[in-house]
Amino acid sequence: MPAPFKDGDVAKGPNRIEMVTFGCRLNTYESEVMRREAETAGLGALAGGAVIFNTCAVTGEAVRQAKQAIRKARRDNPEARIIVTGCAAQTEPQNFAAMDEVDLVLGNEEKLKANSYRALPDFGVNDSEKARVNDIFSVRETAGHMVDAIEGRARAFVQVQNGCDHRCTFCIIPYGRGNSRSVPMGAVVEQVKRLTGNGYAEIVLTGVDMTSFGADLPGAPKLGRLVKSILRQVPDVKRLRLSSIDSIEADDDLLDAMATEPRLMPHLHLSLQSGDDMILKRMKRRHLRDQSIRFCEDVRKLRPDVVFGADIIAGFPTETEAMFENSAKIVEECGLTHLHVFPFSPREGTPAARMPQVRREVVKQRAARLRAAGETAYRRHLSSLSGTRQSILIERDGLGRTEGFTLAALATGAPGEIVEATVTGHDGARLITAPLAARAA
């Protein structure tokens, strides 16, 4: 199944600043804030310009890809100043500072401040002077940074939360993002108003552990209350979408909004990680397989057209063949369509890295089997939509996404438009459609 966005995409901005973004939608949002702050700091005026890498630390492969891209950027831009930030820079700053290609390493808090870019060191400094990364756990609040646009995208991302208070045994991200902290509701609503007013038809709410939103705010509002507030206070927003959620934290208001509000898109991406109870316990997850299955069944009763995606890890330490089969079966039992499969990658410093490991060849084999199951489910989903009418947000010429986030090909419409179309078939990767009419976003 095609990925929703591509890691390592380069977005060339004005004033000779290039952003290279890896990882999650939150990184995409933050890259726009970083671009603005770097421009304010005057980086675009530097001879040779600047290339800023916003990295991901979810897997060892993500870190490897970032380093490879940094080396290529130096070969292609010998005079540019190269700055590395993001989760991988936060968790292993000295590894990036030791790279000759890198001029400056910034932490996840520092990357959002213009002064951090003004402090770009001279060439030839030592590794310790390159790295400017503070303790992320000392950060207590997350500000609602205002952006006017998301470079090169038809939809806009809005941060509602950052960090995570949970400590899943496989996950390094809390050490890159810190503890959970929420953006105040009013700031989120104002950002949605701003982006909607600038012509974005679809707004995606994003965060590291988004369903923990509000626990640190006065009155402890939950995500469902925020969603309802946005839809009530921003009547012009045409499509509101959620990024990954933890189903065990889904609140009643969120489910009610899913059932009653057509502007809340019928697509939920679940952080399942496994379909086996013992592995879930060893991962230190807070749900069991039956709770995941029941959640999907309950939401389908509320919103029959809902489409589910999920993250699943293949080859977690101690995973037996029978345990893996439970993960494979949950694709059918939950009715998953958009599957993101991660071969287990031990991250130094996490408890899972010290557990008995599954052989790498077995990990790769199981990941391939899960992907095959996901592809079968996805093709079945594509076939089920034949003959239906779909509203498609055009992302780029000839391609867009349905309300259920299914990729669709069509012959008309400009990026940012919502086009009504009939599904005439599919090619195994995307829907083939015939447009009915277009309306401006």
Side-chain angles (χ1 to χ4, degrees):
M1 187 193 73
F5 50 87
K6 182 182 177 183
D7 270 353
D9 280 349
V10 178
K12 293 186 178 181
N15 302 327
R16 301 163 61 84
I17 296 175
E18 292 184 9
M19 298 295 310
V20 186
T21 305
F22 291 83
C24 63
R25 292 172 176 85
L26 181 56
N27 261 10
T28 300
Y29 165 80
E30 289 177 335
S31 285
E32 289 305 317
V33 178
M34 292 161 56
R35 182 200 307 282
R36 182 189 64 202
E37 298 303 301
E39 289 170 356
T40 299
L43 258 63
L46 294 174
V51 184
I52 304 175
F53 287 85
N54 199 7
T55 63
C56 173
V58 167
T59 64
E61 177 62 15
V63 177
R64 187 195 68 80
Q65 289 179 2
K67 290 181 177 179
Q68 184 180 50
I70 290 165
R71 295 185 183 100
K72 183 179 186 300
R74 173 57 72 211
R75 292 193 300 270
D76 294 344
N77 305 274
E79 301 302 319
R81 307 304 292 274
I82 292 182
I83 300 168
V84 181
T85 183
C87 289
Q90 180 72 45
T91 57
E92 45 187 283
Q94 293 308 320
N95 286 344
F96 286 97
M99 295 179 67
D100 292 337
E101 296 87 355
V102 174
D103 296 303
L104 178 64
V105 179
L106 296 177
N108 265 333
E109 180 68 9
E110 291 77 18
K111 72 182 183 182
L112 303 175
K113 300 174 181 177
N115 281 342
S116 300
Y117 298 97
R118 291 192 180 100
L120 190 67
D122 293 332
F123 287 105
V125 298
N126 63 39
D127 294 353
S128 62
E129 292 177 279
K130 283 186 189 179
R132 297 175 185 180
V133 179
N134 290 328
D135 178 13
I136 196 67
F137 290 106
S138 68
V139 181
R140 299 289 179 238
E141 296 180 348
T142 289
H145 297 279
M146 292 292 174
V147 298
D148 294 310
I150 305 293
E151 183 77 20
R153 293 180 184 265
R155 64 177 53 82
F157 305 123
V158 173
Q159 179 188 21
V160 306
Q161 180 272 342
N162 203 341
C164 185
D165 290 338
H166 311 301
R167 295 296 181 266
C168 297
T169 59
F170 57 83
C171 189
I172 196 73
I173 295 306
Y175 302 95
R177 290 286 183 176
N179 290 323
S180 181
R181 50 208 189 275
S182 307
V183 178
M185 286 180 59
V188 174
V189 171
E190 286 306 309
Q191 176 69 95
V192 173
K193 285 181 180 177
R194 185 169 182 160
L195 290 165
T196 300
N198 286 343
Y200 283 93
E202 181 172 302
I203 305 296
V204 183
L205 303 184
T206 187
V208 174
D209 180 29
M210 196 166 61
T211 34
S212 71
F213 169 84
D216 56 324
L217 296 178
K222 293 186 178 296
L223 181 62
R225 180 177 163 190
L226 173 65
V227 166
K228 286 186 171 181
S229 181
I230 291 170
L231 293 170
R232 183 178 64 253
Q233 296 186 54
V234 194
D236 291 338
V237 65
K238 292 180 172 64
R239 292 165 55 145
L240 183 67
R241 191 180 297 281
L242 305 178
S243 60
S244 180
I245 69 166
D246 203 336
S247 61
I248 202 70
E249 290 183 317
D251 62 279
D252 290 343
D253 275 337
L254 184 62
L255 297 180
D256 182 63
M258 183 63 67
T260 60
E261 180 50 76
R263 290 181 295 158
L264 180 59
M265 293 296 94
H267 167 245
L268 293 176
H269 192 84
L270 309 178
S271 179
L272 295 187
Q273 310 305 346
S274 176
D276 181 82
D277 284 347
M278 181 57 71
I279 291 297
L280 287 167
K281 290 177 181 178
R282 289 171 180 167
M283 287 179 166
K284 211 174 178 181
R285 300 292 293 164
R286 291 164 297 139
H287 67 270
L288 299 175
R289 65 175 285 112
D290 285 348
Q291 291 173 307
S292 298
I293 295 167
R294 188 164 59 250
F295 176 81
C296 293
E297 291 172 346
D298 290 346
V299 175
R300 274 200 185 86
K301 292 175 184 175
L302 298 172
R303 188 78 174 262
D305 60 337
V306 69
V307 176
F308 289 106
D311 296 331
I312 299 183
I313 295 173
F316 186 82
T318 76
E319 183 185 70
T320 65
E321 181 65 19
M323 292 170 176
F324 168 76
E325 285 297 333
N326 284 333
S327 283
K329 286 188 291 188
I330 208 166
V331 176
E332 295 289 333
E333 292 167 325
C334 282
L336 304 178
T337 295
H338 304 291
L339 206 62
H340 291 174
V341 176
F342 297 88
F344 176 75
S345 174
R347 305 297 285 123
E348 184 178 352
T350 62
R354 300 189 296 272
M355 295 179 184
Q357 303 293 303
V358 177
R359 297 197 315 275
R360 292 312 300 169
E361 62 269 25
V362 175
V363 173
K364 292 178 181 179
Q365 179 192 68
R366 289 177 182 172
R369 288 162 60 189
L370 267 180
R371 290 191 184 104
E375 288 167 3
T376 297
Y378 183 66
R379 286 193 296 270
R380 184 166 57 246
H381 168 68
L382 293 176
S383 296
S384 74
L385 296 177
S386 181
T388 63
R389 177 170 174 164
Q390 299 289 328
S391 294
I392 300 169
L393 174 67
I394 308 300
E395 292 183 337
R396 55 187 185 274
D397 291 344
L399 286 176
R401 297 276 180 178
T402 68
E403 292 184 345
F405 205 62
T406 304
L407 192 64
L410 65 172
T412 189
E417 284 185 327
I418 294 177
V419 174
E420 302 296 325
T422 298
V423 178
T424 59
H426 70 85
D427 63 4
R430 67 207 72 195
L431 299 171
I432 308 301
T433 69
L436 297 175
R439 54 187 170 89

